[in-house]
Structures are given as structure tokens and as C-alpha cells.
Amino acid sequence: QSRYGREYANYIYHKDGYKYATNSFILIKLKEEYPTEYESKCVNKKEVTEWTYPNADKLINDSLLSNRTFKVPLPDTDELDKQYLLNKKIDKNYIANVVIKDDTKYVYNFDLFHKLVLFAKHIGASELIVNKDKNVIGVKTDKGEALLMPKMNDKSTVILRID
């Protein structure tokens, strides 16, 4: 049985020594031990299922190993937090975006970008990878990989610019 979209948000998939998780906006792959009975299965707090999982490895590799990528240094999470809290104090309805500029503008949801940066630090990365064609941003080390989809509109405030 195959599942699509948000139904995966409640599950962690286990395959070849990696755990995979997604909420349809961010995809994470982490090298971590797990019980052998979880191999090739989706697991949540209530059940273990036999669902097939989207080909996350192909999506990550196609996005981050393309020759149409560029790298940006990993931002300081303390600075991100400081900027966000300052703006949130001024406007409680504040919605933040992160904008990275190359020859194009790439816009990402701040909360998800912040999670990507924390994950990147956790797996020992020092830079993020932006795909110019797909507008996705991600990270890749031998300990794990992650991919963040772009935000479709950028009408909210910019909290970080990387030019």
C-alpha cells in the first residue's frame, strides 16, 4: 500500500540504517540505529506499517548533487533567534521568511529554515546547498541529509538575507 502527502508526517520510515521523516515541506534523512524489525517500515507512536515510502534518496540526490547548485555558509542560529524574537516582539502576527540571493531570489519559511540549520549543525555541516532550478535548499553529510522546499510567496517580512 502506498501513501502520499501529509499522511507521512506522522511516520518515520526506516531503511538501510537511516530514518526518514517529512511534513511535505522538509525532508530529513538521519543515520541512526533502530530495531531490526523496523527495517523498510513506517512507524509512529501507535503502529508499524508496511507502506512504501517516496524515493527520498533520489529526490535529495537530484536536488543537492546537481551541477546547478551553489553553497552558502551555515548561518548562526543565535543570530537568527535574536532577529526573529526582536521582530516578533514588535508584531505578534509577524511571519518571517529567509531570503537567499544569488542571481535569483530564493525564499524559505523561517521556522522550517531554522529547523534545517539546527539539523545541519547536528550532522556536522558547515554550509547549505541551494538548487538553482528547483529552488530547494538542503544539507548533506555522511551522518544525514535534509531538503527544504521553497515558500511560494514572499509577502511576509525578511529576517535574513544572504547575498
Side-chain angles (χ1 to χ4, degrees), residues 35-76:
T36 54
E37 61 267 20
Y38 288 177
E39 183 63 28
S40 298
K41 295 193 170 59
C42 288
V43 179
N44 71 8
K45 293 177 184 176
K46 298 177 185 175
E47 65 181 335
V48 176
T49 72
E50 298 277 341
W51 291 352
T52 57
Y53 202 78
N55 192 342
D57 290 320
K58 180 173 178 12
L59 178 62
I60 291 170
N61 288 333
D62 286 354
S63 299
L64 301 183
L65 298 179
S66 160
N67 62 358
R68 297 277 301 146
T69 61
F70 66 95
K71 296 178 180 178
V72 294
L74 197 62
D76 180 341

Side-chain angles (χ1 to χ4, degrees), residues 29-160:
K29 173 184 175 183
L30 179 64
K31 188 172 190 72
E32 195 170 83
E33 290 184 18
Y34 52 83
T36 54
E37 61 267 20
Y38 288 177
E39 183 63 28
S40 298
K41 295 193 170 59
C42 288
V43 179
N44 71 8
K45 293 177 184 176
K46 298 177 185 175
E47 65 181 335
V48 176
T49 72
E50 298 277 341
W51 291 352
T52 57
Y53 202 78
N55 192 342
D57 290 320
K58 180 173 178 12
L59 178 62
I60 291 170
N61 288 333
D62 286 354
S63 299
L64 301 183
L65 298 179
S66 160
N67 62 358
R68 297 277 301 146
T69 61
F70 66 95
K71 296 178 180 178
V72 294
L74 197 62
D76 180 341
T77 51
D78 291 337
E79 186 59 33
L80 283 176
D81 289 339
K82 207 181 305 178
Q83 289 181 37
Y84 178 75
L85 291 173
L86 177 66
N87 286 299
K88 194 72 170 172
K89 197 174 189 179
I90 295 167
D91 177 4
K92 67 179 181 160
N93 296 318
Y94 177 73
I95 299 171
N97 282 335
V98 174
V99 174
I100 296 174
K101 285 195 59 116
D102 182 40
D103 52 346
T104 311
K105 184 164 87 169
Y106 307 93
V107 182
Y108 306 95
N109 171 277
F110 173 80
D111 292 329
L112 295 174
F113 180 83
H114 192 266
K115 288 175 182 166
L116 177 69
V117 171
L118 290 175
F119 180 77
K121 287 174 84 171
H122 177 73
I123 63 170
S126 60
E127 58 193 11
L128 299 173
I129 305 165
V130 180
N131 182 302
K132 293 181 177 198
D133 294 329
K134 298 181 181 182
N135 296 344
V136 296
I137 189 168
V139 62
K140 188 174 181 68
T141 74
D142 59 342
K143 295 179 182 176
E145 303 167 5
L147 200 58
L148 174 61
M149 300 300 137
K151 187 161 179 161
M152 293 305 144
N153 66 51
D154 64 343
K155 294 179 180 168
S156 53
T157 310
V158 171
I159 191 166
L160 173 70

